[in-house]
Amino acid sequence: MAISDGEYLVTTARDLGAALKHFRTASGVTQADAAEAMGIGQPYLSALEGGKFGSSLTHALRLLRLVGCEVVVRPREPRG
């Protein structure tokens, strides 16, 4: 779920997939190029961007919420 320009609050696998797709496309990287660079197939990357990570991720995110934590995905600060 987008919470501000360039930040995603991740509470579900689908939220993480949306963040992956947003940041990939914002970087000008195609699915094919990203998949090749990562050594995975483009259909697998497409599934990840669709939020298909399996139940382990879903359970981990639920546990984090249960204990009062949140996962936020945002661009890294430049290292200097």
Side-chain angles (χ1 to χ4, degrees), residues 7-54:
E7 287 192 348
Y8 281 74
L9 175 63
V10 176
T11 60
T12 66
R14 186 173 293 266
D15 292 340
L16 183 56
L20 290 172
K21 183 175 182 177
H22 168 81
F23 289 111
R24 177 186 56 75
T25 58
S27 297
V29 177
T30 66
Q31 270 193 347
D33 289 341
E36 183 177 339
M38 295 168 57
I40 62 174
Q42 185 272 330
Y44 181 64
L45 178 56
S46 179
L48 293 177
E49 289 183 352
K52 295 182 175 78
F53 291 91

Side-chain angles (χ1 to χ4, degrees), residues 29-80:
V29 177
T30 66
Q31 270 193 347
D33 289 341
E36 183 177 339
M38 295 168 57
I40 62 174
Q42 185 272 330
Y44 181 64
L45 178 56
S46 179
L48 293 177
E49 289 183 352
K52 295 182 175 78
F53 291 91
S55 63
S56 296
L57 177 62
T58 298
H59 289 117
L61 291 169
R62 285 181 184 164
L63 177 57
L64 285 169
R65 277 188 313 220
L66 178 74
V67 298
C69 295
E70 63 184 15
V71 177
V72 177
V73 177
R74 67 174 144 265
R76 274 193 303 229
E77 292 292 323
R79 296 181 183 181

